[in-house]
Amino acid sequence: MFAREFEWDALTRFATDPAGGATLGVVSGRRRQGKTFLLRALCEAAGGFFFGADEATDGESLRRVGAALADRLGAPAPLAFDDWYPVFDALLALGSDRAVPVVI
């Protein structure tokens, strides 16, 4: 990373905040400035979960996130979701033992 120390420090402070419970962070900025790169690196460094919600139909996105979660959990087959509510329940459950950054 070049010249991103401030942003990296802010992200790591947020991701390692000792406060209990789920918290929501919003990262915004101009296009093509490295936001996705930083967030992927954060998840990799902290053992988090990253899912790139690219443009797709709901059904396709639910299939993709089910496959990504199954891979993360070591499940033998993709998880099947027909709605986003159980997806968020599963994502929140990732942090049942320790803080886990989840990026969508």
Side-chain angles (χ1 to χ4, degrees), residues 43-87:
C43 286
E44 188 173 309
F49 177 81
F50 182 93
F51 177 71
D54 302 321
E55 287 188 42
T57 64
D58 265 0
E60 178 60 24
S61 293
L62 288 167
R63 281 189 293 281
R64 288 182 52 235
V65 77
L69 271 167
D71 186 51
R72 165 64 186 249
L73 298 171
L79 303 177
F81 296 109
D82 57 1
D83 195 333
W84 284 101
Y85 292 105
V87 171

Side-chain angles (χ1 to χ4, degrees), residues 13-67:
R13 276 194 316 274
F14 177 80
T16 59
D17 185 348
T23 55
L24 174 68
V26 177
V27 176
S28 65
R30 294 183 315 197
R31 295 182 57 194
R32 312 294 307 164
Q33 298 299 309
K35 296 177 297 295
T36 301
F37 174 82
L38 284 172
L39 292 169
R40 279 185 196 271
L42 174 72
C43 286
E44 188 173 309
F49 177 81
F50 182 93
F51 177 71
D54 302 321
E55 287 188 42
T57 64
D58 265 0
E60 178 60 24
S61 293
L62 288 167
R63 281 189 293 281
R64 288 182 52 235
V65 77

